[in-house]
C-alpha cells in the first residue's frame, strides 16, 4: 500500500533517476515504470531514465512499479525547487526484468535457476538476432524441444503450422500472452506429420516478434496450475510495456537458390497514457514468395514424352508456400490509479493470405475426373443422360482407349466435336494441380484490473475474447459432377474458433516464507463450420455417371455439415508455496478442479520442490497429473484430404468423419473422452555466475490420447450412410478415419541448457563481450497400449518417430568495437516420413550473423540461415512417386540456405 508521510504544503520539487538492472548494473532500457506520489506518474525513456516534476516538498513513501513483475518502495525527501536523484537506492533494490519468469509459480517472479521446474527465458535479443520473423521459427532455433516445419503440402496445416513441445501434439501446450490464456486456432491439422494429426492448437505466428519482450517456456506439466492443454508445458509471451522510445526495422532476404524472396517491415512504439500509464503499440507487415524443390514426376514426364504439351514442368511443386498481406497489429496497455490499482489489457488484429499447391491430377488417370478404370479409358460424360437423369447412353459417346499414355486421337476428336459428349481433357488437357489456401484472421482483446487490499491480498480480475477464422479457397480445380458447367475456383466455407475467458486470481503472501494463491476460471469455447458456396459441395447431374462431386481436393461444407458447437467449463484452483528465508529450499503444491459440461469433473494436482546443496548447486523435481478435453471441433468437424496411396500408386480421397458416426462405430469409433497424463521431472541446476547449466529428466505418461485413427476402406453402402449424415462428398471417398482415444503413450527425455560468459555479465574481466550457450534435448515417445482395430503400424511409427529424437544447438556471440557477431551450430536428428515410407538421417546446420552500428540509433545486419546450404537427404523415389526431391516432413525445411539483410533504427 502506498501512503504519504506528512509533507510541506508549500513548494515543489522533482524526482529523477535511472532504473538499473540489479544483476548487471545496466539501465533497464525501455522498462515501464510508474512512480506514484500524489498520483503523479514518471516514466522511463529508452535509456532507463525517469523524471517526475511538480512533487510537493517533504518526505514521501513512493512505490515504483515495474509493470508485470514487482514493486520497489522507497522513502524519499523532496526539497523545494530541487531535483532528488534515486539512482543509488534503486540500483540496490530494483528487480531485474530480463531473465525473471512469471510462469511455474504464482508467488514472486524469479530467475530460471531459482525455479523448482525447468523454464526457458528467451529475451527479445534472441528473436532479433535471426533471419526469420515468424515466431514459430524463431522459437525452433533456440528451444531444442520445440519442433515446427514448413508444411510443403498439408491442407490447412500450411496456414496454421503444427508445432510440438517435448514430442507431443500442438494442443498439448498451453499458450499465454501476458499470463492470460490465448485462444486456439480454427484449423484442425488433418495432415500433420503423424504427431499432430487431428490437433487443434493456437496460432503462435500471429504474434509479431517485435512486440515480445520475453518468452517464457515452462517445460513441465502444468494442468493443475493453468488448466487444460498444459500437458507438455506452457509458453508465455510477455509483451513490451515501455511508454516511450521505439524501433523500426526492415528485413529482406532470399533463399540461395534464388527464390522464396520475402520482406518484413515492423515497428514498435511506446506512448504515455496519461500521467501514469502506457500504450505500447506494434505492427508488422510482410509477404513471401514460394520456393520449388521438385523433380518432374515420372507420370508427368511420360505424358510429355508421349506428346502432351500441356503438362507443366514440374507438374507438382514442393516447397515453401506463398504468403501475402501478412499484417499483425498488437497493443499492450496499462494505467496506474491511486493506491496502486492498475488497469491493463492487450489486443490484436492479424490477417494473412496463404496459398500453395496440392497433388497433380493426371489427365489420363485421376479417378472421378478423367477415368474410372485407372487410365485404361477416359471418363466421357453423356450430356443428355445428365440432363434427363436416365443412364441409357443417349448421346452415343465413343469409348476413348488410352495406349502408351495417349488417348485414342480419333475417338477423342469425336468427343470434342460432339456437344453432347464431354471429357475434362477439353478444359484441362495437361491435368491440373489445385491451388489451395485461406484468408486467415486472428483477433483478441483482454482487459483486467488488479490491485491490493489493505490486508495485503493481491487480486486480479480479467476477461478475454478471442477469435480465429479461416476462409478457405481453392482454385484451378473442378467439381467434376457439374460437368462442363463446373467453375474452376471455389469458396469451400469457413472454420471459426471463438473463446470467452473470465478469470479471478487471488494471491497472498502470509509472510516472507509462505505464499497462498487461488482463483476461478470460466471458459466458453465455440467452433463453427460456415457453409461453402453451392458449387463446392453439391452433387451435380454427372455424379451418376461416376464423376466426383465437390471441389476436387477440398470439398466444401454443405448446409447439413455446417453448424456451431460450443462447450462451457468452470474451474477453481489453489496454490501453496513455502520457501526458506535464504532461498535454500522451496516446496510448492497446486490443485485444480474443472467441470466440463460434456465430460464431467476432473481434479488434478502438482507437487514441486527445489533444494540448494550449496552456493551454486541445487536439485529440483516435480510430479503432477494433467488432462486435455477434446475440442468441440475435434468432436464435430469432418474433412476430405487427397493423399497419395503408395500401394495403388495413385491419389485417393480420405475422409475424416465424427467418431460417433454410424460408419465410424462399425470400425470401432466411440464418443471421445478426455486425455489423462502423469508428469514427472527431476534435475539439477548449477549457477556459478559466469557459468550456469541445468539438466532435467522428464517423463509424460499419456493415457486415452486423442488422435486420428488409421484409414479404413469405404464401401458403397457406407458411403450412402455418410451422405445421409450430411457428408455429400462421401461417394468420392476411398477411405475414412476418425478421432479415437484407443491408445496410450509414454514420452520421456532430457533437457540440458548451459551458458558461459567469460568474466561475468558484460564480458568484464577480459571476456571481451563473448557469450557461449548450449541447449540439448533428447525425447523418445513409445505407444504403450493401442487397439489394433483402429491404429496400424504406420500410425504407431508416426507417433513414435515423426520428430527428431535428438536436437541441440550451440552458439557463440562476440561483441567487439560495436560490431556484434553470432555463430550457431544446430543438429536435427533423424525422422520418419510416412509419405515417403522411409526414415531420413539427421543433419547439421550453421547460422551466421553480423551487426554493425551506423550511429547510436541505427544499425545494419547481414546474415545467413543454413549458411552451408544443407538439404535433407534426397528422396530416392521422388520421380516415381510425387516429385518431392526432399522429405516434406523435414524438421528444418527443404528450401536450403537463406540470406538476409536488416536495417534497424531505435529511438
Amino acid at each position: 500500500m502506498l501512503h504519504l508521510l506528512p509533507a510541506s504544503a508549500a513548494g515543489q520539487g522533482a524526482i529523477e533517476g535511472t532504473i538499473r538492472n540489479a544483476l548487471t548494473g545496466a539501465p533497464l532500457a525501455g522498462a515501464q515504470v510508474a512512480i506514484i506520489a500524489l498520483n503523479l506518474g514518471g516514466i522511463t525513456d529508452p535509456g532507463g531514465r525517469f523524471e517526475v516534476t511538480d512533487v510537493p516538498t517533504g518526505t514521501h513513501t513512493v512505490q515504483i512499479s515495474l509493470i508485470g513483475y514487482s514493486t520497489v518502495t522507497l522513502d524519499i525527501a523532496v526539497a523545494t525547487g530541487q531535483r532528488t536523484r534515486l539512482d543509488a537506492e534503486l540500483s540496490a533494490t530494483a528487480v531485474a526484468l530480463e531473465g525473471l519468469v512469471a510462469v511455474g509459480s504464482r508467488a514472486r517472479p524469479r530467475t530460471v535457476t531459482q525455479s523448482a521446474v525447468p523454464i526457458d527465458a528467451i529475451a527479445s535479443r534472441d528473436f532479433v538476432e535471426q533471419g526469420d520473423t515468424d515466431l514459430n521459427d524463431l522459437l525452433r532455433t533456440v528451444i531444442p524441444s520445440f519442433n515446427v516445419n514448413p508444411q510443403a503440402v498439408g491442407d490447412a496445416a500450411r496456414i496454421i503450422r503444427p508445432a510440438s513441445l517435448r514430442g507431443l501434439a500442438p494442443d498439448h501446450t498451453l499458450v499465454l500472452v501476458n499470463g492470460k490464456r490465448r485462444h486456439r486456432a480454427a484449423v484442425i491439422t488433418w495432415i500433420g506429420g503423424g504427431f499432430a494429426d487431428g490437433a487443434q492448437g493456437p496460432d503462435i505466428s500471429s504474434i509479431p516478434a517485435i512486440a515480445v519482450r520475453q518468452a517464457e517456456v515452462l517445460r513441465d506439466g502444468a494442468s493443475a496450475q493453468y488448466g487444460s492443454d498444459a500437458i507438455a508445458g506452457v509458453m508465455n509471451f510477455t509483451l513490451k510495456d515501455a511508454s516511450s522510445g521505439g524501433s523500426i526495422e526492415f528485413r529482406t532476404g532470399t533463399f540461395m537458390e534464388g527464390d522464396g524472396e520475402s520482406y518484413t517491415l515492423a515497428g514498435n512504439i511506446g506512448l504515455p497514457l496519461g500521467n501514469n500509464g502506457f500504450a505500447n503499440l506494434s505492427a508488422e507487415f510482410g509477404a513471401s514468395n514460394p520456393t520449388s524443390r521438385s523433380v518432374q514426376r515420372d507420370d508427368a514426364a511420360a505424358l510429355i514424352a508421349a506428346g502432351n504439351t500441356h503438362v507443366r514442368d514440374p507438374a507438382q511443386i514442393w516447397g515453401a508456400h506463398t504468403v501475402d498481406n501478412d499484417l499483425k497489429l498488437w497493443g499492450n496497455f496499462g494505467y496506474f490509479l491511486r493506491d496502486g490499482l492498475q488497469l491493463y489489457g492487450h489486443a490484436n488484429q492479424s490477417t494473412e493470405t496463404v496459398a500453395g499447391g496440392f497433388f497433380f491430377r493426371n489427365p489420363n488417370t485421376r479417378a472421378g475426373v478423367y477415368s474410372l478404370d485407372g487410365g485404361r479409358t477416359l471418363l466421357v460424360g453423356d450430356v443428355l443422360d445428365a440432363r434427363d437423369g436416365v443412364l441409357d447412353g443417349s448421346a452415343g459417346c465413343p469409348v476413348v482407349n488410352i495406349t502408351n499414355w495417349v488417348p485414342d486421337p480419333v475417338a477423342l476428336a469425336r468427343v470434342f466435336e460432339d456437344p453432347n459428349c464431354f471429357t475434362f481433357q477439353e478444359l484441362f488437357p495437361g491435368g491440373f494441380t489445385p491451388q489451395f489456401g485461406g484468408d486467415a484472421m486472428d483477433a483478441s482483446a483482454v482487459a483486467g484490473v488488479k490491485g491490493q487490499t489493505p490486508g495485503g491480498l493481491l487480486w486480479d480480475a480479467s476477461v478475454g475474447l478471442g477469435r480465429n477464422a479461416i476462409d478457405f479457397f481453392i482454385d484451378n480445380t473442378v467439381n467434376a459432377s457439374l460437368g462442363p458447367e463446373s467453375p474452376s475456383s471455389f469458396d469451400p466455407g469457413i472454420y471459426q474458433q471463438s473463446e470467452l475467458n473470465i478469470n479471478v486470481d487471488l494471491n497472498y503472501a502470509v509472510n516472507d516464507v509462505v505464499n497462498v494463491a487461488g482463483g476461478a476460471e470460466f471458459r466458453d469455447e465455440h467452433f463453427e463450420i460456415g457453409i461453402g458456396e453451392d458449387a463446392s459441395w453439391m452433387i451435380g447431374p454427372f455424379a451418376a455417371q461416376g464423376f466426383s462431386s465437390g471441389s476436387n481436393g477440398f470439398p466444401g461444407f454443405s448446409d447439413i455439415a455446417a453448424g456451431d458447437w460450443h462447450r462451457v467449463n468452470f474451474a477453481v484452483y489453489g496454490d501453496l508455496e513455502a520457501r526458506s528465508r535464504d532461498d535454500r529450499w522451496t516446496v510448492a503444491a497446486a490443485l485444480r478442479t474443472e467441470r466440463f459440461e460434456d465430460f464431467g469433473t476432473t481434479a488434478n494436482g502438482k507437487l514441486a520442490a527445489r533444494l540448494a546443496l550449496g552456493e551454486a548447486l541445487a536439485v529440483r523435481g516435480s510430479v503432477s497429473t494433467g488432462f486435455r478435453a477434446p475440442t468441440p471441433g475435434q468432436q464435430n468437424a469432418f474433412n476430405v484430404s487427397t493423399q497419395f496411396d503408395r500401394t495403388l500408386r495413385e491419389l485417393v480421397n480420405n475422409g475424416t468423419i465424427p467418431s460417433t458416426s454410424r460408419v465410424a462405430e462399425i470400425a470401432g469409433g466411440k464418443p471421445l473422452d478426455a486425455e489423462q497424463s502423469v508428469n514427472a521431472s527431476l534435475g539439477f541446476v548449477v549457477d556459478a555466475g559466469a557459468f550456469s547449466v541445468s539438466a532435467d529428466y522428464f517423463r509424460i505418461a499419456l493415457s486415452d490420447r486423442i488422435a486420428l485413427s488409421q484409414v479404413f476402406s469405404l464401401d458403397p453402402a457406407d458411403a450412402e450412410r455418410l451422405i445421409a449424415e450430411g457428408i455429400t462428398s462421401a461417394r468420392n471417398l476411398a477411405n475414412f478415419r476418425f478421432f479415437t482415444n484407443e491408445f496410450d503413450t509414454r514420452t520421456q527425455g532430457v533437457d540440458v541448457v548451459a551458458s558461459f560468459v567469460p568474466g561475468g555479465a558484460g564480458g568484464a574481466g577480459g571476456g571481451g563481450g563473448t557469450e557461449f550457450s548450449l541447449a540439448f534435448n533428447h525425447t523418445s515417445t513409445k505407444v504403450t497400449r493401442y487397439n489394433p482395430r483402429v491404429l496400424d503400424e504406420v500410425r504407431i511409427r508416426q507417433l513414435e518417430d515423426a520428430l527428431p529424437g535428438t536436437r541441440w544447438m550451440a552458439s557463440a556471440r562476440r561483441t567487439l568495437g560495436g560490431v556484434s557477431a553470432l555463430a550457431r551450430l544446430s543438429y536435427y536428428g533423424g525422422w520418419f516420413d510416412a509419405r515417403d515410407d522411409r526414415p531420413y538421417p539427421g543433419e547439421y546446420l550453421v547460422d551466421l550473423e553480423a551487426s554493425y552500428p551506423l550511429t547510436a540509433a541505427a544499425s545494419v545486419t547481414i546474415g545467413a540461415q543454413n549458411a552451408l546450404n544443407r538439404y535433407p537427404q534426397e528422396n530416392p523415389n521422388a520421380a516415381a512417386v510425387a516429385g518431392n526431391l526432399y522429405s516434406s516432413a523435414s524438421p528444418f525445411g527443404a528450401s536450403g540456405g537463406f540470406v538476409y539483410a536488416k536495417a534497424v533504427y531505435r529511438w
Side-chain angles (χ1 to χ4, degrees):
M1 282 294 295
L2 169 69
H3 63 279
L4 191 65
L5 297 180
S8 169
Q12 292 180 331
I15 307 170
E16 65 175 357
T18 302
I19 308 296
R20 297 185 178 275
N21 186 317
L23 297 181
T24 67
L28 294 177
Q32 169 64 31
V33 178
I35 299 178
I36 303 173
L38 289 180
N39 206 30
L40 298 175
I43 300 168
T44 60
D45 67 14
R49 294 190 65 260
F50 69 89
E51 180 177 351
V52 184
T53 59
D54 299 330
V55 182
T57 58
T59 301
H60 305 280
T61 297
V62 178
Q63 185 181 70
I64 301 175
S65 296
L66 305 179
I67 292 178
Y69 288 89
S70 185
T71 60
V72 177
T73 302
L74 298 169
D75 289 342
I76 59 172
V78 179
T80 302
Q82 294 183 359
R83 293 180 179 271
T84 302
R85 293 194 60 84
L86 296 180
D87 294 344
E89 291 87 345
L90 288 180
S91 64
T93 57
V95 178
L97 293 179
E98 293 82 2
L100 284 181
V101 291
V103 294
S105 169
R106 286 190 167 89
R108 65 177 187 176
R110 63 201 61 212
T111 64
V112 294
T113 56
Q114 292 176 323
S115 172
V117 291
I119 302 174
D120 296 312
I122 298 138
S124 59
R125 181 184 68 173
D126 295 314
F127 296 138
V128 172
E129 294 178 342
Q130 295 192 52
D132 276 307
T133 57
D134 188 306
L135 203 53
N136 276 306
D137 296 317
L138 299 175
L139 291 171
R140 179 189 67 190
T141 308
V142 295
I143 304 173
S145 62
F146 185 83
N147 283 278
V148 64
N149 74 357
Q151 290 291 317
V153 175
D155 277 1
R158 62 162 57 101
I159 304 172
I160 309 293
R161 294 185 296 154
S164 169
L165 183 65
R166 299 201 297 170
L168 297 181
D171 46 14
H172 288 136
T173 300
L174 177 63
V175 174
L176 309 174
V177 174
N178 283 351
K180 303 300 180 181
R181 175 184 281 266
R182 181 80 176 152
H183 59 276
R184 70 179 79 251
V187 165
I188 299 174
T189 308
W190 303 115
I191 303 176
F195 73 94
D197 287 2
Q200 188 184 1
D203 181 14
I204 297 175
S205 67
S206 64
I207 307 172
I210 200 169
V212 178
R213 176 161 58 81
Q214 178 173 278
E216 303 164 6
V217 182
L218 168 62
R219 294 177 277 109
D220 194 52
S223 292
Q225 295 167 289
Y226 299 104
S228 181
D229 302 347
I231 290 176
V234 178
M235 303 178 74
N236 180 41
F237 298 96
T238 304
L239 302 176
K240 291 178 180 177
D241 52 16
S243 62
S244 62
S247 64
I248 186 169
E249 62 181 52
F250 177 77
R251 187 224 65 164
T252 184
T254 182
F255 285 93
M256 293 181 182
E257 295 293 330
D259 57 2
E261 304 89 349
S262 64
Y263 74 89
T264 304
L265 177 64
N268 171 265
I269 187 170
L271 301 171
L273 193 62
N275 291 326
N276 299 325
F278 71 92
N280 193 275
L281 309 177
S282 302
E284 180 181 290
F285 183 81
S288 61
N289 292 329
T291 64
S292 176
R293 301 296 180 266
S294 312
V295 296
Q296 184 63 290
R297 296 164 44 131
D298 282 351
D299 59 343
L303 287 165
I304 294 173
N308 190 329
T309 60
H310 301 282
V311 178
R312 188 175 64 177
D313 188 5
Q316 181 174 327
I317 302 297
W318 292 86
H321 45 262
T322 301
V323 179
D324 285 322
N325 301 317
D326 186 4
L327 176 64
K328 303 168 185 175
L329 302 174
W330 278 76
N332 189 29
F333 310 93
Y335 191 84
F336 282 89
L337 302 174
R338 187 180 298 274
D339 293 336
L341 195 67
Q342 182 184 352
L343 304 177
Y344 65 88
H346 61 266
N348 86 285
Q349 175 76 32
S350 305
T351 58
E352 67 175 344
T353 299
V354 181
F358 272 173
F359 285 94
F360 169 64
R361 270 59 175 169
N362 187 299
N364 289 350
T365 64
R366 177 55 177 154
V369 180
Y370 290 106
S371 181
L372 291 178
D373 53 17
R376 291 189 296 272
T377 63
L378 277 186
L379 175 58
V380 178
D382 188 314
V383 175
L384 298 179
D385 285 358
R387 187 175 300 159
D388 60 22
V390 180
L391 302 180
D392 57 3
S394 302
C397 299
V399 174
V400 182
N401 294 303
I402 301 174
T403 305
N404 296 327
W405 299 95
V406 178
D408 181 347
V410 176
L412 186 61
R414 287 180 53 195
V415 172
F416 286 178
E417 293 168 358
D418 191 337
N420 294 321
C421 299
F422 172 76
T423 171
F424 274 100
Q425 284 216 355
E426 297 181 46
L427 298 180
F428 295 99
F432 59 93
T433 303
Q435 300 297 300
F436 171 79
D439 294 313
M441 187 283 299
D442 187 277
S444 69
V446 174
V449 58
K450 59 184 177 181
Q452 185 174 357
T453 68
L457 175 68
L458 299 173
W459 57 270
D460 183 343
S462 66
V463 59
L465 292 169
R467 183 164 69 97
N468 183 276
I470 312 294
D471 188 357
F472 297 110
F473 58 81
I474 187 166
D475 305 323
N476 198 48
T477 188
V478 297
N479 178 342
S481 69
L482 298 177
E485 303 301 319
S486 173
S488 60
S489 296
F490 300 87
D491 178 4
I494 297 175
Y495 276 176
Q496 181 169 286
Q497 176 80 13
S498 302
E499 296 181 27
L500 167 67
N501 292 281
I502 301 174
N503 280 87
V504 175
D505 292 300
L506 305 174
N507 200 319
Y508 182 68
V510 178
N511 48 44
D512 58 357
V513 173
V514 178
N515 191 92
V516 294
E521 179 182 68
F522 170 85
R523 187 163 76 254
D524 189 1
E525 181 177 347
H526 287 253
F527 180 78
E528 180 182 352
I529 299 178
I531 187 172
E533 64 172 311
D534 292 352
S536 71
W537 55 265
M538 68 185 303
I539 302 174
F542 285 84
Q545 300 177 41
F547 287 90
S548 61
S549 59
S551 45
N552 196 278
F554 193 91
F557 310 126
S558 69
D559 53 352
I560 300 177
D564 184 356
W565 302 271
H566 85 109
R567 180 178 62 221
V568 168
N569 64 293
F570 180 78
V572 293
Y573 45 90
D575 290 1
L576 175 64
E577 182 171 318
R579 61 181 178 86
S580 65
R581 286 183 168 84
D582 58 3
D583 278 336
R584 292 190 61 84
W585 57 264
T586 301
V587 178
L591 180 65
R592 184 184 186 98
T593 300
E594 193 147 354
R595 171 72 179 180
F596 290 84
E597 65 175 339
D598 52 354
F599 287 100
T601 302
T602 180
N604 290 274
K606 181 173 183 176
L607 293 173
R610 178 185 182 276
L611 175 63
L613 302 180
E615 292 298 322
L617 175 65
V619 294
R620 62 188 181 188
S622 69
V623 60
S624 64
T625 61
F627 69 98
R628 188 185 74 82
T631 70
Q634 290 172 326
Q635 292 174 281
N636 296 283
F638 75 90
N639 169 264
V640 176
S641 301
T642 303
Q643 301 185 48
F644 191 86
D645 189 301
R646 296 184 56 85
T647 302
L648 300 176
R649 298 185 65 79
E650 64 181 30
L651 295 178
V652 297
N653 290 337
N654 295 333
T656 303
I657 63 177
S659 63
T660 53
S661 164
R662 177 56 183 158
V663 176
E665 289 177 355
I666 295 173
K670 301 176 182 177
L672 295 177
D673 201 354
E675 299 175 325
Q676 305 290 331
S677 70
V678 177
N679 293 50
S681 69
L682 181 64
F684 69 87
V685 177
V686 174
D687 188 359
F691 174 76
S692 67
V693 61
S694 66
D696 295 274
Y697 164 80
F698 63 88
R699 184 180 188 274
I700 307 169
L702 191 51
S703 60
D704 297 329
R705 185 166 170 177
I706 301 168
L708 290 172
S709 71
Q710 67 187 54
V711 296
F712 299 88
S713 297
L714 186 72
D715 60 37
D718 287 338
E720 294 302 323
R721 291 190 184 98
L722 291 177
I723 291 173
E725 293 180 10
I727 304 176
T728 60
S729 57
R731 192 174 285 118
N732 309 331
L733 301 180
N735 306 301
F736 70 93
R737 59 183 181 173
F738 49 86
F739 284 98
T740 180
N741 285 108
E742 295 282 353
F743 70 106
D744 303 340
T745 61
R746 181 182 65 246
T747 299
Q748 56 186 343
V750 63
D751 288 305
V752 179
V753 179
S755 66
F756 175 54
V757 183
T770 304
E771 303 174 39
F772 301 95
S773 64
L774 170 71
F776 170 90
N777 169 263
H778 177 76
T779 299
S780 173
T781 295
K782 295 295 181 184
V783 177
T784 57
R785 177 193 67 87
Y786 72 99
N787 182 345
R789 288 187 62 198
V790 298
L791 232 62
D792 58 16
E793 293 182 0
V794 174
R795 286 294 292 121
I796 291 174
R797 192 169 184 189
Q798 284 182 307
L799 290 162
E800 294 182 343
D801 300 324
L803 296 172
T806 299
R807 280 194 60 205
W808 57 261
M809 58 274 298
S811 65
R813 180 185 288 107
R814 172 80 172 179
T815 302
L816 190 62
V819 178
S820 176
L822 172 70
R824 181 186 297 112
L825 175 65
S826 302
Y827 173 73
Y828 293 80
W831 67 94
F832 170 71
D833 188 338
R835 185 172 272 159
D836 297 338
D837 193 28
R838 65 185 300 270
Y840 284 90
E843 186 58 82
Y844 294 89
L845 302 182
V846 173
D847 300 332
L848 300 173
E849 182 178 283
S851 297
Y852 178 76
L854 299 176
T855 67
S859 64
V860 293
T861 300
I862 58 172
Q865 290 184 301
N866 188 4
L868 302 182
N869 199 28
R870 303 292 295 177
Y871 287 91
Q873 184 184 77
E874 291 190 7
N875 175 15
N877 300 315
V881 182
N884 57 317
L885 183 59
Y886 306 107
S887 167
S888 61
S890 165
F892 54 88
S895 292
F898 181 81
V899 293
Y900 60 92
K902 291 191 296 184
V904 180
Y905 181 80
R906 296 181 177 88
W907 65 89

